[in-house]
Amino acid sequence: MTPLPYLDRADGADAVTAALRSSGACIVCDALDPMARLSLEADLAPWFDAAPCGEGPFFGVRTKRFSALFAKAPRTARLALDDLVLPVAESALGAGGPFCDRIQLNLTQAIGIGAGEPAQHLHRDDDFFPFAHGDADLMINALWTLDSFTAANGATQIAPGSHQWDRRRRASPHELLPAEAPAGAVILWLGRTLHGGGANTTDATRRGVVMSYSVGWLAPAEKLLLSIPPHVARTLPARLQQLIGYQIHRPNLGWIEGRDPIEWLRGDIGEVAAAGDNLTPAQTERMRARG
Ligand SMILES: O=C(O)CCC(=O)C(=O)O
């Protein structure tokens, strides 16, 4: 069976991307320092208390979820902007290449799998997009562990190598591995990789935070432009403003009055504005060559 690779931050983005591409998933064990993890836990604790459990078998009737994380717990911004994970996401999704100008955040979600929750239905995250999938990577998920993930408490089950399987193939139990990881790790998997939350047979909740990235031309799962209202978005770092949707996927997706929506966020354009071409450098060059 393809192994589930374990790496450290010091291995660097190229090694993490290579592991992700070959196995469909990997784990970086020392991703978050303990102090940062403890402060995130403190910020998220009241929201875990307030969040209700899910209503259906897929999201789990003993599992709590909540999103809009940058509005609820602004320090989660550091996870989305992590200087290892963000470059890995850009590289894995081919940012700047012919099929992806820019990546975006697909969703932000804290997940607490409660005691007694059965294993989640195995799925590929990019199956939510109803079209004939090729072998391009559209999405990558980063699940930051707030607790140690064990086979007993619901560690994510992953079928390593399944990103390269025929889409109709299901995983047999012996093809699944629990993504066991210490608290403060990040578990990465591609949108094509079969996986699901594991069964929690312990008495304690298993908590993690998902930052999901996708190519910038897909509809994001979470309507981040609404869940993070403009007055909150204005307080975020510029890169995060782009990742939640204040960016154009050049040349022509996601504009306001034909202009980059970050200009709107900054109050730089009014009710009408001069539409820009918003071309990539390669497109500018092609237009110039055509004369
Ligand atoms: O929490 C996990 O381990 C994975 C959850 C998941 O894959 C999902 O909710 O779609």
Side-chain angles (χ1 to χ4, degrees):
M1 191 209 286
T2 311
L4 207 43
Y6 284 79
L7 298 102
D8 294 318
R9 210 170 237 293
D11 290 316
D14 288 349
V16 174
T17 308
L20 188 57
R21 284 213 174 106
S22 86
S23 297
C26 69
I27 296 161
V28 180
C29 293
D30 59 348
L32 194 59
D33 70 72
M35 290 308 292
R37 178 172 55 81
L38 289 174
S39 57
L40 280 177
E41 271 191 84
D43 295 350
L44 295 170
W47 295 101
F48 271 116
D49 288 344
C53 287
E55 290 187 338
F58 183 77
F59 286 126
V61 295
R62 295 186 184 86
T63 294
K64 294 186 166 190
R65 295 169 192 265
F66 54 93
S67 295
L69 295 184
F70 311 130
K72 291 186 171 72
R75 284 191 281 197
T76 53
R78 67 174 295 159
L79 304 183
L81 294 172
D82 183 77
D83 63 5
L84 176 71
V85 172
L86 186 54
V88 167
E90 289 183 315
S91 169
L93 299 177
F99 302 111
C100 173
D101 178 32
R102 290 164 173 156
I103 68 166
Q104 65 184 351
L105 275 163
N106 172 56
L107 65 85
T108 67
Q109 190 174 66
I111 302 178
I113 298 187
E117 182 73 270
Q120 189 185 31
H121 174 74
L122 295 174
H123 57 282
R124 293 182 163 89
D125 290 322
D126 66 4
D127 269 346
F128 301 134
F129 300 103
F131 74 111
H133 293 264
D135 54 8
D137 285 308
L138 303 178
M139 192 187 293
I140 165 179
N141 279 343
L143 172 47
W144 296 81
T145 61
L146 296 179
D147 301 301
S148 297
F149 278 28
T150 66
N153 77 358
T156 314
Q157 298 195 87
I158 295 181
S162 56
H163 60 310
Q164 286 162 341
W165 294 357
D166 182 287
R167 283 202 169 247
R168 285 160 301 187
R169 179 170 159 196
R170 292 173 184 266
S172 306
H174 72 273
E175 292 174 303
L176 292 172
L177 288 175
E180 294 194 300
V186 64
I187 303 166
L188 302 166
W189 67 85
L190 297 173
R192 293 188 283 155
T193 304
L194 267 175
H195 71 282
N200 186 348
T201 58
T202 71
D203 293 336
T205 298
R206 186 232 73 179
R207 296 162 309 155
V209 175
V210 175
M211 293 289 160
S212 173
Y213 307 84
S214 66
V215 294
W217 46 265
L218 273 182
E222 179 181 2
K223 286 207 183 291
L224 282 145
L225 292 175
L226 293 176
S227 65
I228 311 295
H231 73 274
V232 177
R234 287 190 185 100
T235 67
L236 301 178
R239 182 73 185 104
L240 196 51
Q241 292 172 340
Q242 293 176 312
L243 286 168
I244 68 171
Y246 290 99
Q247 63 180 357
I248 287 188
H249 194 275
R250 294 174 292 183
N252 212 11
L253 291 177
W255 42 258
I256 294 179
E257 293 294 322
R259 302 202 64 90
D260 191 321
I262 207 156
E263 295 181 52
W264 177 88
L265 188 69
R266 291 174 181 160
D268 291 345
I269 56 170
E271 288 181 5
V272 291
D277 279 349
N278 304 307
L279 303 178
T280 64
Q283 288 160 344
T284 304
E285 195 43 50
R286 282 201 295 277
M287 292 281 276
R288 192 174 295 129
R290 278 186 211 133

